[in-house]
Amino acid sequence: MEGSDLSFEGNAPLVIGDHVLVGYVHDTGGREALELARAIVAVTGGRLSVATVHAPDRPGAASEAHTVLEQASALLEEEPAELHAQEGRSVGRGLTALAGRVGADVIVVGSPEGGAHGRIGVGAAADHLLHSATEAVMLAPSGYTARDGLDRITVMYVRRPQCDEAVVRAAVAAERLGVPLRLVTLCLGEDPERLRDDQALAIRMALESADVPAEDVTAELAEGADVAAAMDDVVWAEGELLVCASSEDAAAHRVFLGEVALKVLRAAPCPVTVLPRGYF
């Protein structure tokens, strides 16, 4: 988005990343993560950093990491990116440490090889990030292929402060990126009228938070016997980004994904971003 002003008041980052850090390994999941990170930067006009994490005490590990980064650079061709070989006792810890040092606001990782096509798999690095990262975490589904642009931002919504924060942040991003905003609420036996009332309040909050056309902010109930069935009840756009808030159990400014949200993530057919608690 050439020429766009992507900064918010107080220089807060876009919900989908002003500075994207992707954890790269030379396998299918790593390449899909890199493709997603490139697609996000193409939409936001932000910065891209690519990192490979290596053990600090294994001979030759740093040299191997640089070789992997050369492979990532070849995939990037002429696209500008900062390359980092980062020491870490684990990939998740290394990416979190590096993100804080370079000022990234979202960490992108892929799904492990061998997972269900079109669904997100949670490997060791993602598991660590989803329970302790201080930055937003974005995951690419297995088989992810980038497409031009972003069609819509969807927020998985339930009435609580963290989700309200996610709605406000997503509304501002939708305004800046010129895409519709949708709220989806799981309806697993609850009173649908109460959930619709909650959604109506959230829609009003979104419209008050950003200059988004009223017709571009919608809400849907996802009904089903369980989370997976409810997620299948939803129609997803090809260029969809799903945003989830962290659990109420999350420490301030950290990601912590609860049990239901983890089921949502595993059932989502599109990239998912999980925001830290207190993202403002």
Side-chain angles (χ1 to χ4, degrees):
M1 297 186 61
E2 187 174 348
S4 296
D5 176 10
L6 295 171
S7 63
F8 296 120
E9 183 177 352
N11 294 319
L14 280 166
V15 71
I16 56 171
D18 264 343
H19 184 176
V20 178
L21 171 64
V22 55
Y24 181 77
V25 291
H26 194 58
D27 64 12
T28 301
R31 289 188 289 273
E32 290 166 353
L34 182 61
E35 192 161 350
L36 175 58
R38 295 175 70 184
I40 294 303
V41 168
V43 169
T44 66
R47 295 166 55 196
L48 176 62
S49 291
V50 182
T52 294
V53 178
H54 64 88
D57 51 5
R58 184 168 65 82
S63 176
E64 292 173 7
H66 284 288
T67 298
V68 171
L69 287 174
E70 289 174 3
Q71 293 164 337
S73 181
L75 293 173
L76 290 168
E77 297 174 337
E78 299 300 318
E79 185 171 346
E82 300 169 14
L83 305 179
H84 301 274
Q86 172 69 26
E87 289 187 352
R89 293 292 178 183
S90 72
V91 174
R93 289 186 176 87
L95 290 174
T96 298
L98 179 61
R101 180 163 62 84
V102 302
D105 56 88
V106 60
I107 302 172
V108 179
V109 292
S111 295
E113 292 184 310
H117 184 81
R119 293 292 187 265
I120 290 171
V122 179
D127 185 63
H128 175 86
L129 294 170
L130 291 172
H131 293 92
S132 63
T134 52
E135 296 76 25
V137 179
M138 185 180 294
L139 298 102
S142 179
Y144 173 79
T145 301
R147 62 183 304 279
D148 292 337
L150 179 69
D151 289 338
R152 182 171 57 196
I153 297 174
T154 289
V155 178
M156 189 58 59
Y157 183 75
V158 60
R159 193 177 180 188
R160 56 186 175 86
Q162 291 93 306
C163 286
D164 289 343
E165 292 176 3
V167 168
V168 171
R169 180 61 62 190
V172 176
E175 174 194 345
R176 298 300 173 93
L177 301 176
V179 298
L181 172 66
R182 178 177 65 163
L183 312 182
V184 169
T185 300
L186 297 178
C187 184
L188 307 177
E190 297 93 336
D191 176 8
E193 290 309 312
R194 180 185 64 80
L195 297 178
R196 289 191 181 96
D197 288 343
D198 291 346
Q199 288 182 330
L201 292 173
I203 288 175
R204 186 193 312 168
M205 180 172 52
L207 294 173
E208 291 174 350
S209 303
D211 188 16
V212 184
E215 62 271 19
D216 282 351
V217 183
T218 59
E220 299 176 16
L221 294 184
E223 300 186 67
D226 54 28
V227 172
M231 291 291 284
D232 284 342
D233 187 49
V234 179
V235 176
W236 301 92
E238 285 190 23
E240 192 96 51
L241 176 68
L242 179 61
V243 177
C244 294
S246 284
S247 164
E248 292 176 332
D249 296 329
H253 309 299
R254 287 193 181 273
V255 169
F256 187 87
L257 205 60
E259 181 181 352
V260 173
L262 185 58
K263 291 179 180 178
V264 167
L265 183 146
R266 292 182 184 276
C270 62
V272 177
T273 297
V274 183
L275 303 182
R277 184 177 182 182
Y279 197 62
F280 287 105

